[in-house]
Amino acid sequence: MRRFLSQQRLWTTTGGPDEDRVKPHVLWLPYGQPQVLDYFARVRDVLAPYRDIITPVAEPDLHMTVQKVDSCDRDGRRVDTARLLRAAPAVQEALATVAPVRIELGPPRASGSAALTDVWPEDELHQLYLAVRAGLDSAGLALPGPADWFWGHMTGGYGLQDTDTPELAARSDRLASELGRALRPGARVAATVSSLWLVLERQDPDANRYTFDRVQEIHLGRTAPGEGS
């Protein structure tokens, strides 16, 4: 296990402007789907004895990242709440023909620097990703380069430190083993992606976590507000 929020992943250098710790994102949030929240509560139970090497993701912070957005738009203006709200109609239009996606999450596993679950099916999620990018682009927002394929995943815990001693390495191995066995049977959980959120996400390296402020919900297809999450 390695520390997740290493220097390479930080959005700003130590002592940099606080506003640089905040970036716009498009997220799927699992709230309103209790089976997903229960699933990740079980993941947190597994991670709890290992808080010296991993930080479990609190329920309010659970999310699947669909697209990161650059801090400034193509005109060089910082993307704040007002700018995201102006972009929302274009994103909504791009998703108007995208039907809600039935997904499965899991099983949980330990990666090099996190505990996570993959999200399936890949094809439908990749098409959703492309539609989101098209909407953001038409709204004048600047994006990182496109991925060859969208990797859907949700994180249950972020690595807190490098496990670079024999004792810590052994604990990391035990964590991976327990995580791989903990949710069997029932290693996957089903959910529906019927809306996404434009958010301002904050990176907090001291607490080893990400938090976010919801700005605007975007519904897929003809999904009515309040239907799904």
Side-chain angles (χ1 to χ4, degrees), residues 43-44 47-48 50-51 54-58 61 156-158 208-209:
V43 172
R44 284 195 300 276
L47 301 183
Y50 298 93
R51 287 178 179 269
I54 195 166
T55 303
V57 175
D61 301 333
Y158 296 107
N208 199 39
R209 65 187 293 213

Side-chain angles (χ1 to χ4, degrees), residues 15-202:
D18 189 62
E19 64 182 6
D20 287 346
R21 297 189 187 278
V22 179
K23 282 193 173 185
H25 284 70
V26 179
L27 307 180
W28 175 66
L29 305 180
Y31 314 113
Q33 302 198 47
Q35 74 281 11
V36 179
L37 302 182
D38 290 347
Y39 189 85
F40 279 93
R42 294 168 67 189
V43 172
R44 284 195 300 276
D45 287 343
V46 177
L47 301 183
Y50 298 93
R51 287 178 179 269
D52 56 324
I53 60 174
I54 195 166
T55 303
V57 175
E59 184 174 293
D61 301 333
L62 289 170
H63 65 278
M64 176 176 69
T65 298
V66 178
Q67 180 61 59
K68 301 175 183 178
V69 181
D70 291 348
S71 297
C72 294
D73 66 14
R74 291 203 297 265
D75 295 324
R77 296 172 295 184
R78 181 167 289 276
V79 181
D80 56 10
T81 296
R83 183 67 181 89
L84 277 181
L85 288 171
R86 292 198 300 274
V91 182
Q92 181 66 78
E93 182 177 357
L95 295 183
T97 59
V98 179
V101 180
R102 289 289 294 172
I103 61 172
E104 286 191 332
L105 302 93
R109 60 183 176 86
S111 73
S113 58
L116 53 82
T117 65
D118 295 312
V119 182
W120 319 87
E122 293 181 329
D123 290 349
E124 288 87 341
L125 287 172
H126 186 68
Q127 294 307 311
L128 175 61
Y129 162 78
L130 293 177
V132 167
R133 286 185 61 90
L136 295 168
D137 182 68
S138 67
L141 299 182
L143 307 176
D148 292 334
W149 200 253
F150 176 72
W151 173 40
H153 66 282
M154 287 184 65
T155 302
Y158 296 107
L160 181 60
Q161 63 171 314
D162 294 342
T163 54
D164 52 6
T165 68
E167 179 183 6
L168 290 176
R171 286 183 58 69
S172 180
D173 288 346
R174 287 197 298 274
L175 184 158
S177 178
E178 291 184 22
L179 188 63
R181 296 195 307 264
L183 273 71
R184 295 182 182 279
R188 292 192 184 187
V189 63
T192 301
V193 178
S194 55
S195 71
L196 303 174
W197 279 88
L198 304 180
V199 308
L200 291 173
E201 185 167 308
R202 173 176 290 274

